[in-house]
PDB file of all heavy atoms in Angstrom:
ATOM      1  N   SER A   1       5.538  14.218  22.192  1.00 97.00           N
ATOM      2  CA  SER A   1       4.439  15.190  21.971  1.00 97.00           C
ATOM      3  C   SER A   1       3.963  15.325  20.670  1.00 97.00           C
ATOM      4  O   SER A   1       2.890  15.496  20.127  1.00 97.00           O
ATOM      5  CB  SER A   1       4.846  16.549  22.479  1.00 97.00           C
ATOM      6  OG  SER A   1       5.831  17.122  21.743  1.00 97.00           O
ATOM      7  N   ARG A   2       4.964  15.071  19.641  1.00 97.00           N
ATOM      8  CA  ARG A   2       4.638  15.182  18.254  1.00 97.00           C
ATOM      9  C   ARG A   2       3.813  13.994  17.875  1.00 97.00           C
ATOM     10  O   ARG A   2       2.758  14.178  17.056  1.00 97.00           O
ATOM     11  CB  ARG A   2       5.979  15.169  17.330  1.00 97.00           C
ATOM     12  CG  ARG A   2       5.665  15.488  15.917  1.00 97.00           C
ATOM     13  CD  ARG A   2       6.898  15.737  15.223  1.00 97.00           C
ATOM     14  NE  ARG A   2       7.463  16.975  15.409  1.00 97.00           N
ATOM     15  CZ  ARG A   2       8.383  17.493  14.674  1.00 97.00           C
ATOM     16  NH1 ARG A   2       8.942  16.874  13.666  1.00 97.00           N
ATOM     17  NH2 ARG A   2       8.918  18.672  14.920  1.00 97.00           N
ATOM     18  N   VAL A   3       3.994  12.781  18.351  1.00 98.00           N
ATOM     19  CA  VAL A   3       3.189  11.630  18.015  1.00 98.00           C
ATOM     20  C   VAL A   3       1.731  11.835  18.598  1.00 98.00           C
ATOM     21  O   VAL A   3       0.770  11.535  17.982  1.00 98.00           O
ATOM     22  CB  VAL A   3       3.782  10.296  18.438  1.00 98.00           C
ATOM     23  CG1 VAL A   3       2.694   9.207  18.580  1.00 98.00           C
ATOM     24  CG2 VAL A   3       4.851   9.876  17.553  1.00 98.00           C
ATOM     25  N   GLN A   4       1.659  12.439  19.713  1.00 98.00           N
ATOM     26  CA  GLN A   4       0.382  12.690  20.407  1.00 98.00           C
ATOM     27  C   GLN A   4      -0.356  13.768  19.589  1.00 98.00           C
ATOM     28  O   GLN A   4      -1.600  13.442  19.316  1.00 98.00           O
ATOM     29  CB  GLN A   4       0.611  13.371  21.783  1.00 98.00           C
ATOM     30  CG  GLN A   4      -0.662  13.754  22.524  1.00 98.00           C
ATOM     31  CD  GLN A   4      -1.435  12.676  23.118  1.00 98.00           C
ATOM     32  OE1 GLN A   4      -0.804  11.648  23.514  1.00 98.00           O
ATOM     33  NE2 GLN A   4      -2.729  12.676  22.869  1.00 98.00           N
ATOM     34  N   LYS A   5       0.257  14.724  18.934  1.00 97.00           N
ATOM     35  CA  LYS A   5      -0.405  15.677  18.075  1.00 97.00           C
ATOM     36  C   LYS A   5      -0.839  14.987  16.832  1.00 97.00           C
ATOM     37  O   LYS A   5      -1.973  15.264  16.364  1.00 97.00           O
ATOM     38  CB  LYS A   5       0.382  16.903  17.789  1.00 97.00           C
ATOM     39  CG  LYS A   5       0.670  17.900  19.008  1.00 97.00           C
ATOM     40  CD  LYS A   5       1.531  18.913  18.664  1.00 97.00           C
ATOM     41  CE  LYS A   5       1.848  19.840  19.966  1.00 97.00           C
ATOM     42  NZ  LYS A   5       2.821  20.752  19.735  1.00 97.00           N
ATOM     43  N   TYR A   6      -0.063  14.171  16.233  1.00 97.00           N
ATOM     44  CA  TYR A   6      -0.317  13.477  15.043  1.00 97.00           C
ATOM     45  C   TYR A   6      -1.564  12.686  15.199  1.00 97.00           C
ATOM     46  O   TYR A   6      -2.365  12.536  14.386  1.00 97.00           O
ATOM     47  CB  TYR A   6       0.863  12.590  14.596  1.00 97.00           C
ATOM     48  CG  TYR A   6       2.023  13.345  14.080  1.00 97.00           C
ATOM     49  CD1 TYR A   6       3.325  12.661  13.962  1.00 97.00           C
ATOM     50  CD2 TYR A   6       2.109  14.613  13.690  1.00 97.00           C
ATOM     51  CE1 TYR A   6       4.464  13.241  13.458  1.00 97.00           C
ATOM     52  CE2 TYR A   6       3.235  15.342  13.231  1.00 97.00           C
ATOM     53  CZ  TYR A   6       4.418  14.592  13.275  1.00 97.00           C
ATOM     54  OH  TYR A   6       5.504  15.149  12.803  1.00 97.00           O
ATOM     55  N   ALA A   7      -1.590  11.829  16.358  1.00 98.00           N
ATOM     56  CA  ALA A   7      -2.657  10.964  16.679  1.00 98.00           C
ATOM     57  C   ALA A   7      -3.990  11.743  16.860  1.00 98.00           C
ATOM     58  O   ALA A   7      -5.023  11.165  16.410  1.00 98.00           O
ATOM     59  CB  ALA A   7      -2.280  10.075  17.933  1.00 98.00           C
ATOM     60  N   GLU A   8      -3.893  12.922  17.507  1.00 98.00           N
ATOM     61  CA  GLU A   8      -5.160  13.657  17.754  1.00 98.00           C
ATOM     62  C   GLU A   8      -5.708  14.030  16.434  1.00 98.00           C
ATOM     63  O   GLU A   8      -6.988  14.027  16.180  1.00 98.00           O
ATOM     64  CB  GLU A   8      -4.808  14.867  18.655  1.00 98.00           C
ATOM     65  CG  GLU A   8      -4.597  14.462  20.113  1.00 98.00           C
ATOM     66  CD  GLU A   8      -4.063  15.740  20.957  1.00 98.00           C
ATOM     67  OE1 GLU A   8      -3.918  16.841  20.407  1.00 98.00           O
ATOM     68  OE2 GLU A   8      -3.760  15.489  22.098  1.00 98.00           O
ATOM     69  N   PHE A   9      -4.843  14.596  15.538  1.00 96.00           N
ATOM     70  CA  PHE A   9      -5.329  14.900  14.201  1.00 96.00           C
ATOM     71  C   PHE A   9      -5.845  13.768  13.425  1.00 96.00           C
ATOM     72  O   PHE A   9      -6.933  13.836  12.910  1.00 96.00           O
ATOM     73  CB  PHE A   9      -4.087  15.570  13.455  1.00 96.00           C
ATOM     74  CG  PHE A   9      -4.502  15.886  12.094  1.00 96.00           C
ATOM     75  CD1 PHE A   9      -5.201  17.077  11.842  1.00 96.00           C
ATOM     76  CD2 PHE A   9      -4.144  15.088  11.017  1.00 96.00           C
ATOM     77  CE1 PHE A   9      -5.495  17.376  10.447  1.00 96.00           C
ATOM     78  CE2 PHE A   9      -4.514  15.389   9.632  1.00 96.00           C
ATOM     79  CZ  PHE A   9      -5.177  16.636   9.423  1.00 96.00           C
ATOM     80  N   MET A  10      -5.134  12.626  13.447  1.00 95.00           N
ATOM     81  CA  MET A  10      -5.591  11.467  12.837  1.00 95.00           C
ATOM     82  C   MET A  10      -7.015  11.008  13.352  1.00 95.00           C
ATOM     83  O   MET A  10      -7.857  10.674  12.438  1.00 95.00           O
ATOM     84  CB  MET A  10      -4.555  10.317  13.026  1.00 95.00           C
ATOM     85  CG  MET A  10      -4.920   9.003  12.408  1.00 95.00           C
ATOM     86  SD  MET A  10      -4.365   8.859  10.789  1.00 95.00           S
ATOM     87  CE  MET A  10      -4.062   7.146  10.853  1.00 95.00           C
ATOM     88  N   ASN A  11      -7.069  10.899  14.612  1.00 96.00           N
ATOM     89  CA  ASN A  11      -8.389  10.479  15.176  1.00 96.00           C
ATOM     90  C   ASN A  11      -9.567  11.310  14.771  1.00 96.00           C
ATOM     91  O   ASN A  11     -10.606  10.873  14.414  1.00 96.00           O
ATOM     92  CB  ASN A  11      -8.288  10.353  16.702  1.00 96.00           C
ATOM     93  CG  ASN A  11      -7.438   9.258  17.111  1.00 96.00           C
ATOM     94  OD1 ASN A  11      -7.448   8.109  16.578  1.00 96.00           O
ATOM     95  ND2 ASN A  11      -6.860   9.449  18.313  1.00 96.00           N
ATOM     96  N   LYS A  12      -9.300  12.658  14.727  1.00 95.00           N
ATOM     97  CA  LYS A  12     -10.332  13.709  14.399  1.00 95.00           C
ATOM     98  C   LYS A  12     -10.665  13.458  12.966  1.00 95.00           C
ATOM     99  O   LYS A  12     -11.844  13.482  12.544  1.00 95.00           O
ATOM    100  CB  LYS A  12      -9.845  15.130  14.610  1.00 95.00           C
ATOM    101  CG  LYS A  12     -10.808  16.138  14.400  1.00 95.00           C
ATOM    102  CD  LYS A  12     -10.267  17.540  14.730  1.00 95.00           C
ATOM    103  CE  LYS A  12      -9.555  18.040  13.571  1.00 95.00           C
ATOM    104  NZ  LYS A  12      -8.957  19.287  13.637  1.00 95.00           N
ATOM    105  N   GLU A  13      -9.665  13.296  12.046  1.00 91.00           N
ATOM    106  CA  GLU A  13      -9.956  13.225  10.588  1.00 91.00           C
ATOM    107  C   GLU A  13     -10.633  11.909  10.270  1.00 91.00           C
ATOM    108  O   GLU A  13     -11.473  11.857   9.328  1.00 91.00           O
ATOM    109  CB  GLU A  13      -8.682  13.483   9.784  1.00 91.00           C
ATOM    110  CG  GLU A  13      -8.052  14.759   9.983  1.00 91.00           C
ATOM    111  CD  GLU A  13      -9.077  15.928   9.542  1.00 91.00           C
ATOM    112  OE1 GLU A  13      -9.679  15.850   8.348  1.00 91.00           O
ATOM    113  OE2 GLU A  13      -9.264  16.893  10.275  1.00 91.00           O
ATOM    114  N   LEU A  14     -10.236  10.869  10.819  1.00 90.00           N
ATOM    115  CA  LEU A  14     -10.786   9.517  10.552  1.00 90.00           C
ATOM    116  C   LEU A  14     -12.246   9.526  10.974  1.00 90.00           C
ATOM    117  O   LEU A  14     -13.035   8.797  10.273  1.00 90.00           O
ATOM    118  CB  LEU A  14     -10.092   8.359  11.323  1.00 90.00           C
ATOM    119  CG  LEU A  14      -8.708   8.074  10.777  1.00 90.00           C
ATOM    120  CD1 LEU A  14      -8.073   6.892  11.482  1.00 90.00           C
ATOM    121  CD2 LEU A  14      -8.730   7.595   9.221  1.00 90.00           C
ATOM    122  N   GLN A  15     -12.714  10.292  11.934  1.00 88.00           N
ATOM    123  CA  GLN A  15     -14.115  10.380  12.225  1.00 88.00           C
ATOM    124  C   GLN A  15     -14.889  11.093  11.167  1.00 88.00           C
ATOM    125  O   GLN A  15     -16.069  10.778  11.068  1.00 88.00           O
ATOM    126  CB  GLN A  15     -14.258  11.115  13.583  1.00 88.00           C
ATOM    127  CG  GLN A  15     -13.794  10.309  14.767  1.00 88.00           C
ATOM    128  CD  GLN A  15     -13.992  11.200  16.099  1.00 88.00           C
ATOM    129  OE1 GLN A  15     -14.235  12.307  16.012  1.00 88.00           O
ATOM    130  NE2 GLN A  15     -13.633  10.492  17.236  1.00 88.00           N
ATOM    131  N   LYS A  16     -14.227  11.930  10.416  1.00 84.00           N
ATOM    132  CA  LYS A  16     -14.951  12.665   9.338  1.00 84.00           C
ATOM    133  C   LYS A  16     -15.108  11.839   8.111  1.00 84.00           C
ATOM    134  O   LYS A  16     -15.870  12.254   7.127  1.00 84.00           O
ATOM    135  CB  LYS A  16     -14.171  13.889   9.020  1.00 84.00           C
ATOM    136  CG  LYS A  16     -14.131  14.965  10.047  1.00 84.00           C
ATOM    137  CD  LYS A  16     -13.209  16.152   9.501  1.00 84.00           C
ATOM    138  CE  LYS A  16     -13.016  17.118  10.683  1.00 84.00           C
ATOM    139  NZ  LYS A  16     -12.157  18.189  10.094  1.00 84.00           N
ATOM    140  N   ILE A  17     -14.545  10.784   7.990  1.00 81.00           N
ATOM    141  CA  ILE A  17     -14.509  10.004   6.731  1.00 81.00           C
ATOM    142  C   ILE A  17     -15.858   9.513   6.310  1.00 81.00           C
ATOM    143  O   ILE A  17     -16.188   9.597   5.093  1.00 81.00           O
ATOM    144  CB  ILE A  17     -13.483   8.762   6.769  1.00 81.00           C
ATOM    145  CG1 ILE A  17     -12.124   9.395   6.598  1.00 81.00           C
ATOM    146  CG2 ILE A  17     -13.710   7.844   5.642  1.00 81.00           C
ATOM    147  CD1 ILE A  17     -10.958   8.454   6.551  1.00 81.00           C
ATOM    148  N   PRO A  18     -16.877   9.085   7.121  1.00 69.00           N
ATOM    149  CA  PRO A  18     -18.190   8.779   6.605  1.00 69.00           C
ATOM    150  C   PRO A  18     -18.831   9.925   5.946  1.00 69.00           C
ATOM    151  O   PRO A  18     -19.557   9.791   4.957  1.00 69.00           O
ATOM    152  CB  PRO A  18     -18.953   8.412   8.016  1.00 69.00           C
ATOM    153  CG  PRO A  18     -17.800   7.875   8.874  1.00 69.00           C
ATOM    154  CD  PRO A  18     -16.608   8.741   8.575  1.00 69.00           C
ATOM    155  N   GLU A  19     -18.548  11.162   6.430  1.00 56.00           N
ATOM    156  CA  GLU A  19     -19.067  12.358   5.776  1.00 56.00           C
ATOM    157  C   GLU A  19     -18.531  12.540   4.429  1.00 56.00           C
ATOM    158  O   GLU A  19     -19.209  12.791   3.429  1.00 56.00           O
ATOM    159  CB  GLU A  19     -18.743  13.598   6.635  1.00 56.00           C
ATOM    160  CG  GLU A  19     -18.937  14.934   5.976  1.00 56.00           C
ATOM    161  CD  GLU A  19     -18.407  16.078   6.798  1.00 56.00           C
ATOM    162  OE1 GLU A  19     -18.312  16.017   7.951  1.00 56.00           O
ATOM    163  OE2 GLU A  19     -18.057  17.081   6.071  1.00 56.00           O
ATOM    164  N   TYR A  20     -17.205  12.207   4.239  1.00 50.00           N
ATOM    165  CA  TYR A  20     -16.617  12.284   2.972  1.00 50.00           C
ATOM    166  C   TYR A  20     -17.197  11.281   2.006  1.00 50.00           C
ATOM    167  O   TYR A  20     -17.383  11.441   0.874  1.00 50.00           O
ATOM    168  CB  TYR A  20     -15.114  12.069   2.988  1.00 50.00           C
ATOM    169  CG  TYR A  20     -14.325  13.219   3.744  1.00 50.00           C
ATOM    170  CD1 TYR A  20     -13.424  12.938   4.832  1.00 50.00           C
ATOM    171  CD2 TYR A  20     -14.560  14.573   3.546  1.00 50.00           C
ATOM    172  CE1 TYR A  20     -12.717  13.843   5.459  1.00 50.00           C
ATOM    173  CE2 TYR A  20     -13.956  15.490   4.269  1.00 50.00           C
ATOM    174  CZ  TYR A  20     -12.970  15.190   5.187  1.00 50.00           C
ATOM    175  OH  TYR A  20     -12.366  16.117   5.945  1.00 50.00           O
ATOM    176  N   LYS A  21     -17.356  10.093   2.506  1.00 55.00           N
ATOM    177  CA  LYS A  21     -17.944   8.938   1.764  1.00 55.00           C
ATOM    178  C   LYS A  21     -19.351   9.325   1.132  1.00 55.00           C
ATOM    179  O   LYS A  21     -19.585   9.062   0.075  1.00 55.00           O
ATOM    180  CB  LYS A  21     -18.118   7.685   2.633  1.00 55.00           C
ATOM    181  CG  LYS A  21     -18.533   6.575   1.701  1.00 55.00           C
ATOM    182  CD  LYS A  21     -18.604   5.267   2.557  1.00 55.00           C
ATOM    183  CE  LYS A  21     -19.117   4.058   1.665  1.00 55.00           C
ATOM    184  NZ  LYS A  21     -19.233   2.857   2.362  1.00 55.00           N
ATOM    185  N   ARG A  22     -20.138   9.997   1.991  1.00 51.00           N
ATOM    186  CA  ARG A  22     -21.492  10.414   1.534  1.00 51.00           C
ATOM    187  C   ARG A  22     -21.365  11.403   0.338  1.00 51.00           C
ATOM    188  O   ARG A  22     -22.083  11.419  -0.557  1.00 51.00           O
ATOM    189  CB  ARG A  22     -22.234  11.034   2.691  1.00 51.00           C
ATOM    190  CG  ARG A  22     -22.858  10.034   3.438  1.00 51.00           C
ATOM    191  CD  ARG A  22     -23.935  10.699   4.407  1.00 51.00           C
ATOM    192  NE  ARG A  22     -23.416  11.709   5.326  1.00 51.00           N
ATOM    193  CZ  ARG A  22     -22.815  11.613   6.458  1.00 51.00           C
ATOM    194  NH1 ARG A  22     -22.593  10.324   6.881  1.00 51.00           N
ATOM    195  NH2 ARG A  22     -22.338  12.628   7.157  1.00 51.00           N
ATOM    196  N   ARG A  23     -20.335  12.275   0.412  1.00 53.00           N
ATOM    197  CA  ARG A  23     -20.114  13.304  -0.559  1.00 53.00           C
ATOM    198  C   ARG A  23     -19.419  12.762  -1.752  1.00 53.00           C
ATOM    199  O   ARG A  23     -19.720  13.253  -2.885  1.00 53.00           O
ATOM    200  CB  ARG A  23     -19.341  14.467  -0.058  1.00 53.00           C
ATOM    201  CG  ARG A  23     -20.234  15.398   0.830  1.00 53.00           C
ATOM    202  CD  ARG A  23     -19.476  16.635   1.219  1.00 53.00           C
ATOM    203  NE  ARG A  23     -18.266  16.347   2.017  1.00 53.00           N
ATOM    204  CZ  ARG A  23     -17.334  17.179   2.332  1.00 53.00           C
ATOM    205  NH1 ARG A  23     -17.263  18.407   1.797  1.00 53.00           N
ATOM    206  NH2 ARG A  23     -16.308  16.859   3.060  1.00 53.00           N
ATOM    207  N   THR A  24     -18.507  11.931  -1.642  1.00 55.00           N
ATOM    208  CA  THR A  24     -17.672  11.426  -2.782  1.00 55.00           C
ATOM    209  C   THR A  24     -17.958  10.019  -3.199  1.00 55.00           C
ATOM    210  O   THR A  24     -17.534   9.700  -4.299  1.00 55.00           O
ATOM    211  CB  THR A  24     -16.181  11.549  -2.426  1.00 55.00           C
ATOM    212  OG1 THR A  24     -15.874  10.602  -1.389  1.00 55.00           O
ATOM    213  CG2 THR A  24     -15.744  12.921  -2.042  1.00 55.00           C
ATOM    214  N   GLY A  25     -18.572   9.270  -2.349  1.00 58.00           N
ATOM    215  CA  GLY A  25     -18.826   7.803  -2.701  1.00 58.00           C
ATOM    216  C   GLY A  25     -17.697   6.900  -2.381  1.00 58.00           C
ATOM    217  O   GLY A  25     -17.777   5.715  -2.555  1.00 58.00           O
ATOM    218  N   SER A  26     -16.578   7.486  -1.917  1.00 57.00           N
ATOM    219  CA  SER A  26     -15.358   6.513  -1.574  1.00 57.00           C
ATOM    220  C   SER A  26     -14.722   7.217  -0.404  1.00 57.00           C
ATOM    221  O   SER A  26     -14.503   8.354  -0.257  1.00 57.00           O
ATOM    222  CB  SER A  26     -14.462   6.485  -2.676  1.00 57.00           C
ATOM    223  OG  SER A  26     -13.363   5.722  -2.327  1.00 57.00           O
ATOM    224  N   LYS A  27     -14.392   6.189   0.549  1.00 56.00           N
ATOM    225  CA  LYS A  27     -13.522   6.655   1.668  1.00 56.00           C
ATOM    226  C   LYS A  27     -12.105   6.063   1.666  1.00 56.00           C
ATOM    227  O   LYS A  27     -11.319   6.470   2.332  1.00 56.00           O
ATOM    228  CB  LYS A  27     -14.231   6.345   3.000  1.00 56.00           C
ATOM    229  CG  LYS A  27     -14.334   4.898   3.284  1.00 56.00           C
ATOM    230  CD  LYS A  27     -15.025   4.694   4.656  1.00 56.00           C
ATOM    231  CE  LYS A  27     -15.012   3.263   4.984  1.00 56.00           C
ATOM    232  NZ  LYS A  27     -15.570   2.845   6.192  1.00 56.00           N
ATOM    233  N   ALA A  28     -11.943   5.005   0.909  1.00 68.00           N
ATOM    234  CA  ALA A  28     -10.724   4.255   0.995  1.00 68.00           C
ATOM    235  C   ALA A  28      -9.469   5.113   0.596  1.00 68.00           C
ATOM    236  O   ALA A  28      -8.445   5.084   1.396  1.00 68.00           O
ATOM    237  CB  ALA A  28     -10.829   3.025   0.046  1.00 68.00           C
ATOM    238  N   PRO A  29      -9.396   5.924  -0.443  1.00 78.00           N
ATOM    239  CA  PRO A  29      -8.182   6.631  -0.680  1.00 78.00           C
ATOM    240  C   PRO A  29      -7.799   7.602   0.396  1.00 78.00           C
ATOM    241  O   PRO A  29      -6.685   7.765   0.777  1.00 78.00           O
ATOM    242  CB  PRO A  29      -8.454   7.352  -2.080  1.00 78.00           C
ATOM    243  CG  PRO A  29      -9.536   6.557  -2.821  1.00 78.00           C
ATOM    244  CD  PRO A  29     -10.344   5.945  -1.594  1.00 78.00           C
ATOM    245  N   MET A  30      -8.889   8.231   0.934  1.00 83.00           N
ATOM    246  CA  MET A  30      -8.536   9.196   1.980  1.00 83.00           C
ATOM    247  C   MET A  30      -8.043   8.490   3.195  1.00 83.00           C
ATOM    248  O   MET A  30      -7.091   9.017   3.773  1.00 83.00           O
ATOM    249  CB  MET A  30      -9.821  10.090   2.301  1.00 83.00           C
ATOM    250  CG  MET A  30      -9.609  11.182   3.299  1.00 83.00           C
ATOM    251  SD  MET A  30     -11.094  12.253   3.515  1.00 83.00           S
ATOM    252  CE  MET A  30     -10.800  13.083   1.960  1.00 83.00           C
ATOM    253  N   ARG A  31      -8.731   7.434   3.588  1.00 85.00           N
ATOM    254  CA  ARG A  31      -8.334   6.682   4.808  1.00 85.00           C
ATOM    255  C   ARG A  31      -6.852   6.145   4.551  1.00 85.00           C
ATOM    256  O   ARG A  31      -6.001   6.359   5.505  1.00 85.00           O
ATOM    257  CB  ARG A  31      -9.257   5.566   5.013  1.00 85.00           C
ATOM    258  CG  ARG A  31      -8.888   4.789   6.218  1.00 85.00           C
ATOM    259  CD  ARG A  31      -9.984   3.615   6.454  1.00 85.00           C
ATOM    260  NE  ARG A  31      -9.621   2.865   7.668  1.00 85.00           N
ATOM    261  CZ  ARG A  31      -9.834   3.276   8.919  1.00 85.00           C
ATOM    262  NH1 ARG A  31     -10.363   4.435   9.186  1.00 85.00           N
ATOM    263  NH2 ARG A  31      -9.380   2.472  10.035  1.00 85.00           N
ATOM    264  N   TRP A  32      -6.569   5.588   3.411  1.00 89.00           N
ATOM    265  CA  TRP A  32      -5.258   5.084   3.181  1.00 89.00           C
ATOM    266  C   TRP A  32      -4.155   6.201   3.358  1.00 89.00           C
ATOM    267  O   TRP A  32      -3.214   6.098   3.821  1.00 89.00           O
ATOM    268  CB  TRP A  32      -5.192   4.478   1.723  1.00 89.00           C
ATOM    269  CG  TRP A  32      -3.902   3.981   1.513  1.00 89.00           C
ATOM    270  CD1 TRP A  32      -3.418   2.737   1.712  1.00 89.00           C
ATOM    271  CD2 TRP A  32      -2.798   4.619   0.934  1.00 89.00           C
ATOM    272  NE1 TRP A  32      -2.042   2.624   1.388  1.00 89.00           N
ATOM    273  CE2 TRP A  32      -1.658   3.763   0.842  1.00 89.00           C
ATOM    274  CE3 TRP A  32      -2.551   5.939   0.325  1.00 89.00           C
ATOM    275  CZ2 TRP A  32      -0.322   4.104   0.367  1.00 89.00           C
ATOM    276  CZ3 TRP A  32      -1.386   6.257  -0.144  1.00 89.00           C
ATOM    277  CH2 TRP A  32      -0.276   5.411  -0.223  1.00 89.00           C
ATOM    278  N   ALA A  33      -4.498   7.458   2.704  1.00 91.00           N
ATOM    279  CA  ALA A  33      -3.572   8.581   2.789  1.00 91.00           C
ATOM    280  C   ALA A  33      -3.287   8.961   4.284  1.00 91.00           C
ATOM    281  O   ALA A  33      -2.188   9.191   4.596  1.00 91.00           O
ATOM    282  CB  ALA A  33      -4.077   9.698   2.093  1.00 91.00           C
ATOM    283  N   TYR A  34      -4.341   9.022   5.166  1.00 93.00           N
ATOM    284  CA  TYR A  34      -4.020   9.379   6.519  1.00 93.00           C
ATOM    285  C   TYR A  34      -3.221   8.293   7.154  1.00 93.00           C
ATOM    286  O   TYR A  34      -2.275   8.720   7.979  1.00 93.00           O
ATOM    287  CB  TYR A  34      -5.493   9.560   7.261  1.00 93.00           C
ATOM    288  CG  TYR A  34      -6.147  10.783   6.964  1.00 93.00           C
ATOM    289  CD1 TYR A  34      -7.401  10.864   6.603  1.00 93.00           C
ATOM    290  CD2 TYR A  34      -5.514  12.024   7.181  1.00 93.00           C
ATOM    291  CE1 TYR A  34      -8.026  12.031   6.280  1.00 93.00           C
ATOM    292  CE2 TYR A  34      -6.249  13.214   6.998  1.00 93.00           C
ATOM    293  CZ  TYR A  34      -7.530  13.217   6.486  1.00 93.00           C
ATOM    294  OH  TYR A  34      -8.146  14.365   6.308  1.00 93.00           O
ATOM    295  N   ILE A  35      -3.554   7.025   6.979  1.00 93.00           N
ATOM    296  CA  ILE A  35      -2.775   5.947   7.484  1.00 93.00           C
ATOM    297  C   ILE A  35      -1.275   6.066   7.112  1.00 93.00           C
ATOM    298  O   ILE A  35      -0.363   5.998   7.850  1.00 93.00           O
ATOM    299  CB  ILE A  35      -3.338   4.546   7.116  1.00 93.00           C
ATOM    300  CG1 ILE A  35      -4.748   4.380   7.791  1.00 93.00           C
ATOM    301  CG2 ILE A  35      -2.442   3.403   7.678  1.00 93.00           C
ATOM    302  CD1 ILE A  35      -4.806   4.297   9.197  1.00 93.00           C
TER     303      ILE A  35
END
C-alpha cells in the first residue's frame, strides 16, 4: 500500500512538470528529484 501511495503521488507530480518547465525553464532537476 505504501508503494501504491508513492506511485500515485509520483504520477500526479510528474504530470505537473511541463507546467514547472514553463515557469522555471527547466524540468530536469525536479524530475530527477522525484525519481
Side-chain angles (χ1 to χ4, degrees):
S1 70
R2 194 170 280 193
V3 162
Q4 177 73 39
K5 288 177 186 173
Y6 293 163
E8 288 170 4
F9 176 80
M10 175 90 147
N11 287 328
K12 185 176 88 177
E13 293 304 309
L14 288 180
Q15 288 177 356
K16 294 178 184 177
I17 287 182
E19 171 189 329
Y20 296 133
K21 183 178 180 183
R22 282 193 301 276
R23 286 189 293 167
T24 65
S26 175
K27 68 177 182 178
M30 183 172 285
R31 181 179 180 77
W32 180 88
Y34 282 125
I35 297 289

